[in-house]
Amino acid sequence: MTLHRSKTPRTPGAAPATLRPDLPSRAGFDSDHPLATGLVGVEGPALGHLGDLEALWPDRLPDVLELDGGAAGPWHLALVAALAERRGVAPPQGALLHDPLALRHAAAAPAWSDRAALGLGADALCWAGRRLPGLRGARLRMPALSPEGMALTLRSGLALLAATARREKPEHLRAAACGIDIVMPADDEAARGWGAVLTTLWQELVAERHGPGFAARPDLIQYRHGASEIAPPDPDAAAQLRAALLRAEAEELPWPETDPSRPADTAPPLSEPDRAAALLAWRRQRDGNAVQKSLLALREAAKRGINVMGPSVACAKAGVTTGEWGTVMAGALPGTAAKPEPAPPSGVTFLLARPGLDARLPRALPSPAEARNRGIELRDTGPRRLPSDIVAAVLDDRPQALLLSLPSPQSAQMAIETLAELRRAGFGAMPALGLIEFQLDAPLEKALEAAGLPLKRARSFANGDFLQEIVNLVT
């Protein structure tokens, strides 16, 4: 396996590397889980346990590392720490690329709530500051070089500090704040000017919200090579950013469009059947009692609000897998699912189904409250559903129409399987519509057409017309 090489400025004598595991690993799933089908080793290596990391770095750990682990980033950081400890070497310098609020818009979104995700991010931030000198626990990537993009990143950093303040003493909070930095997606005069404004504003906001005593941060901004498409800041730039931050914290700023996927840099080293066999062999050779004890300690820490990073390192040493860690965290932390409200007396009921591992919602989707105001009940099965899960939901809810959210090729393949299972269950006549959010290739488009699924690009809907257009298309 190879690492993705970073183009960031380098520490003299070091070769920075970015480790970005495949989507199942970033979402907290093992390679042999049904939702991982077709995604193992794509976009990066499968990182399921400590043995995978040892195979990835057989000789030595990188000197400088950026770890891009998605929802499971804290777990992968624990794996890195466990491997360094096992080999008796210093852990890498670098950073954990981890933005809990940005993750909700990503394919690898966690199963737990935003508040729980911020708590987990705070755990990684504080623990890294104490145990991994030279490795920052929260590197935040700006989604767009604009006042709105900067405001969204500011919101994430401030929310992480607030979550840390709920867990740590003031002196520890000040130390943790030094573990946060922000990636500016350009390096030119305009970007440097905005970076200076952002640094000053960050210092002001942290002092306003948490009191004095925080160190000045000349290294808050990490610049990436490239030109920006933004004008240098004007004298009112700080006021603009403050106003945008208020909108971001009120949930009034839309999240910018991002590239939904990255091509694989290398072919996966094992086929999925071989990978499943390797996982089975790993589980058989480890100490089962040690695994269960470490998972119980992890679950207890997560439920009681104790920092989970120490227990996660103990899990890594015992041989716990990424999927086992993710399952415990999803069961112990508060979730995101909300209980659906009863349908209006004479309304139209739609069931939104989200097959596959990609957890993103269609961007044009209205809120359930907006739908109810128009006499429509819009129910969501929740993310990461298998075809059998969706059929069971249809049997329970008996909706009048089915909306299939398709943000990735894997979700489209599972939509075809879902329709086949619905036909076998006697629901072949149910109106259905696929909401596409990726570039379809011709074979997959033909397969969806052969399955009898009409398609509509989610972003093609006008904001106020989504519900009526859906009603017209489906009925």
Side-chain angles (χ1 to χ4, degrees):
M1 296 181 187
T2 60
L3 295 175
H4 307 294
R5 292 296 167 186
S6 170
K7 297 180 180 179
T8 58
R10 301 187 173 194
T11 301
T18 296
L19 174 57
R20 185 176 191 261
D22 62 10
L23 178 56
S25 302
R26 299 198 312 274
F29 287 81
D30 284 333
S31 301
D32 56 355
H33 193 284
L35 285 171
T37 302
L39 300 174
V40 176
V42 179
E43 297 185 27
L47 191 55
H49 48 73
L50 191 57
D52 285 339
L53 201 61
E54 287 184 304
L56 187 65
W57 299 326
D59 301 320
R60 56 174 294 176
L61 277 65
D63 294 320
V64 182
L65 174 68
E66 282 191 336
L67 179 56
D68 184 2
W75 164 245
H76 295 136
L77 181 61
L79 288 174
V80 171
L83 182 57
E85 199 171 317
R86 172 177 286 185
R87 291 182 176 176
V89 299
Q93 297 183 24
L96 173 65
L97 292 164
H98 193 66
D99 184 335
L101 295 184
L103 276 172
R104 75 162 79 158
H105 305 281
W112 38 91
S113 67
D114 281 357
R115 184 179 177 90
L118 285 165
L120 181 56
D123 284 356
L125 175 65
C126 297
W127 182 85
R130 289 192 285 264
R131 298 292 300 275
L132 304 177
L135 194 147
R136 290 183 170 168
R139 177 160 288 173
L140 312 176
R141 285 179 295 196
M142 200 175 294
L145 185 48
S146 65
E148 292 76 17
M150 295 179 210
L152 289 166
T153 305
L154 269 177
R155 179 199 176 197
S156 291
L158 291 167
L160 263 175
L161 273 187
T164 303
R166 292 192 289 268
R167 290 164 132 76
E168 297 284 344
K169 296 178 180 178
E171 60 270 23
H172 295 153
L173 176 66
R174 287 190 284 272
C178 295
I180 298 174
D181 63 24
I182 295 171
V183 174
M184 183 75 75
D187 188 3
D188 56 17
E189 181 182 354
R192 292 275 174 172
W194 279 104
V197 173
L198 195 58
T199 297
T200 300
L201 181 58
W202 170 263
Q203 193 72 21
E204 293 173 0
L205 289 166
V206 170
E208 288 170 12
R209 299 188 183 196
H210 300 286
F214 287 83
R217 294 292 310 280
D219 60 346
L220 175 69
I221 309 298
Q222 304 293 313
Y223 295 93
R224 293 295 190 256
H225 294 305
S228 59
E229 296 181 0
I230 188 173
D234 58 35
D236 295 328
Q240 295 171 25
L241 281 182
R242 277 186 177 269
L245 175 62
L246 290 176
R247 293 176 58 206
E249 291 182 325
E251 299 278 357
E252 294 174 357
L253 283 185
W255 195 261
E257 292 273 355
T258 55
D259 182 12
S261 62
R262 287 171 47 173
D265 288 337
T266 58
L270 294 174
S271 67
E272 288 186 11
D274 287 342
R275 176 69 188 171
L279 271 172
L280 181 61
W282 173 266
R283 294 184 186 115
R284 284 176 173 170
Q285 59 84 31
R286 64 190 183 176
D287 184 336
N289 287 331
V291 167
Q292 291 307 312
K293 287 180 180 178
S294 64
L295 287 173
L296 284 172
L298 175 66
R299 181 180 291 109
E300 185 68 13
K303 285 186 173 181
R304 294 178 57 190
I306 299 171
N307 194 306
V308 300
M309 291 303 298
S312 293
V313 173
C315 284
K317 292 177 180 177
V320 165
T321 67
T322 296
E324 291 164 342
W325 181 89
T327 297
V328 166
M329 297 304 288
L333 296 175
T336 58
K339 185 178 180 180
E341 297 185 20
S346 57
V348 181
T349 302
F350 292 90
L351 185 66
L352 176 71
R354 295 194 263 163
L357 191 57
D358 194 318
R360 290 169 296 175
L361 275 167
R363 289 184 177 274
L365 193 73
S367 68
E370 182 183 351
R372 283 193 297 275
N373 289 339
R374 299 195 183 193
I376 295 171
E377 178 67 10
L378 184 60
R379 300 187 178 186
D380 184 1
T381 62
R384 302 189 173 120
R385 294 294 181 252
L386 294 166
S388 57
D389 300 328
I390 297 170
V391 172
V394 169
L395 285 167
D396 287 342
D397 285 359
R398 300 286 172 163
Q400 291 166 276
L402 182 65
L403 304 180
L404 287 155
S405 175
L406 310 178
S408 68
Q410 188 212 40
S411 62
Q413 292 284 1
M414 287 195 174
I416 294 171
E417 298 172 26
T418 299
L419 294 176
E421 289 201 26
L422 283 171
R423 283 192 292 270
R424 288 193 289 270
F427 288 94
M430 173 181 291
L433 179 69
L435 302 176
I436 289 284
E437 296 212 79
F438 68 98
Q439 189 60 47
L440 267 174
D441 61 25
L444 186 52
E445 186 171 9
K446 288 181 180 178
L448 288 163
E449 183 180 334
L453 182 64
L455 301 175
K456 182 78 172 178
R457 290 211 165 267
R459 69 183 64 183
S460 69
F461 290 101
N463 284 340
D465 298 332
F466 183 99
L467 294 170
Q468 189 56 52
E469 288 195 47
I470 288 290
V471 170
N472 294 342
L473 281 166
V474 172
T475 60

